[in-house]
Amino acid sequence: MKHILPDLEYTYDALEPFIDAKTMEIHHTKHHQAYIDKLNQALENHDGLKTKTVKELLENLKNIPEEIREAVRNHGGGHYNHSLFWPMLKKNVPAQGKVIEAIKKEFNTFDSFKEKFADAAAKRFGSGWAWLVLNEERLEIISTPNQDNPVTVGKTPILGLDVWEHAYYLKYQNKRPEYIKAFFEIINWEHINRLYEHALK
Ligand code: MN3
């Protein structure tokens, strides 16, 4: 089983003006595709791993043969992170549902959640991701370097933001905080709510 690029559920210009169409197209067809190609390449001589989902590979990273562990971590992580990220994005979805109630409970107010999440995203040095995760029963904000995914440390991603420069540089150049601010306008809270309810089970 080869890993393949998932289709987007929307057109490349669907997130304009918050994320431009060109960035979306390159990000999906070039960057995401490259992670998949390199993951498939790494798994080429490891038939036992070819039946595993990318999530299973990342959950069990320590059991991956050492000679391909870094490749699976980076390229498998890149594939999984982006596969999670695309459906998290949609314009004009109101912030409501069980996950919003849980966010308010954990972070006092929705604004203070936004502030903490934006802070984690802004302070991630170099390339990486900011996440809202479920850790046991509680929501938590973390960030990860490179393409590391929270499942490797036993946490369930609920919301994620790609803060690699390739995610925003064409439109925002070095202004990562402006990209982070725009992100809050395009969160598909219906989808995030489904991820949260699923994670609770
Ligand atoms: Mn990316």
Side-chain angles (χ1 to χ4, degrees), residues 27 82 129 147 162 166:
H27 202 173
H82 290 87
W129 292 71
Q147 295 294 357
D162 187 346
H166 68 225

Short mmCIF file of all heavy atoms in Angstrom, two decimals, residues 27 82 129 147 162 166, ligand 1:
data_model
loop_
_atom_site.label_atom_id
_atom_site.label_comp_id
_atom_site.label_asym_id
_atom_site.label_seq_id
_atom_site.Cartn_x
_atom_site.Cartn_y
_atom_site.Cartn_z
N HIS A 27 1.53 24.39 -1.54
CA HIS A 27 1.59 23.67 -0.25
C HIS A 27 1.04 22.25 -0.41
O HIS A 27 1.63 21.28 0.07
CB HIS A 27 0.77 24.47 0.78
CG HIS A 27 1.12 24.20 2.20
ND1 HIS A 27 0.59 24.93 3.23
CD2 HIS A 27 1.93 23.28 2.77
CE1 HIS A 27 1.08 24.47 4.37
NE2 HIS A 27 1.89 23.47 4.13
N HIS A 82 -0.20 17.38 7.46
CA HIS A 82 -0.94 18.10 6.41
C HIS A 82 -2.29 17.45 6.14
O HIS A 82 -3.27 18.14 5.86
CB HIS A 82 -0.09 18.21 5.14
CG HIS A 82 1.07 19.15 5.32
ND1 HIS A 82 2.28 18.75 5.82
CD2 HIS A 82 1.17 20.49 5.12
CE1 HIS A 82 3.09 19.80 5.91
NE2 HIS A 82 2.44 20.87 5.48
N TRP A 129 4.81 23.36 14.32
CA TRP A 129 3.36 23.43 14.41
C TRP A 129 2.93 23.85 15.81
O TRP A 129 3.61 23.54 16.80
CB TRP A 129 2.75 22.05 14.13
CG TRP A 129 2.91 21.60 12.71
CD1 TRP A 129 4.08 21.21 12.10
CD2 TRP A 129 1.89 21.51 11.71
NE1 TRP A 129 3.83 20.88 10.79
CE2 TRP A 129 2.50 21.04 10.52
CE3 TRP A 129 0.51 21.77 11.71
CZ2 TRP A 129 1.78 20.84 9.35
CZ3 TRP A 129 -0.20 21.56 10.54
CH2 TRP A 129 0.43 21.12 9.37
N GLN A 147 8.24 18.38 11.72
CA GLN A 147 6.96 17.74 11.40
C GLN A 147 6.55 16.74 12.49
O GLN A 147 5.81 15.80 12.21
CB GLN A 147 7.03 17.05 10.03
CG GLN A 147 7.23 17.98 8.85
CD GLN A 147 6.05 18.92 8.62
OE1 GLN A 147 5.01 18.86 9.30
NE2 GLN A 147 6.18 19.82 7.65
N ASP A 162 0.14 25.00 10.93
CA ASP A 162 1.44 24.89 10.28
C ASP A 162 2.11 26.27 10.32
O ASP A 162 1.58 27.23 9.74
CB ASP A 162 1.19 24.45 8.82
CG ASP A 162 2.47 24.13 8.05
OD1 ASP A 162 3.56 24.49 8.52
OD2 ASP A 162 2.34 23.53 6.97
N HIS A 166 6.78 28.03 4.47
CA HIS A 166 6.12 27.70 3.19
C HIS A 166 4.60 27.84 3.30
O HIS A 166 3.92 27.92 2.29
CB HIS A 166 6.52 26.29 2.70
CG HIS A 166 6.03 25.13 3.51
ND1 HIS A 166 6.82 24.06 3.88
CD2 HIS A 166 4.81 24.85 4.05
CE1 HIS A 166 6.12 23.19 4.57
NE2 HIS A 166 4.89 23.65 4.70
MN MN3 B 1 3.35 22.71 5.52
#
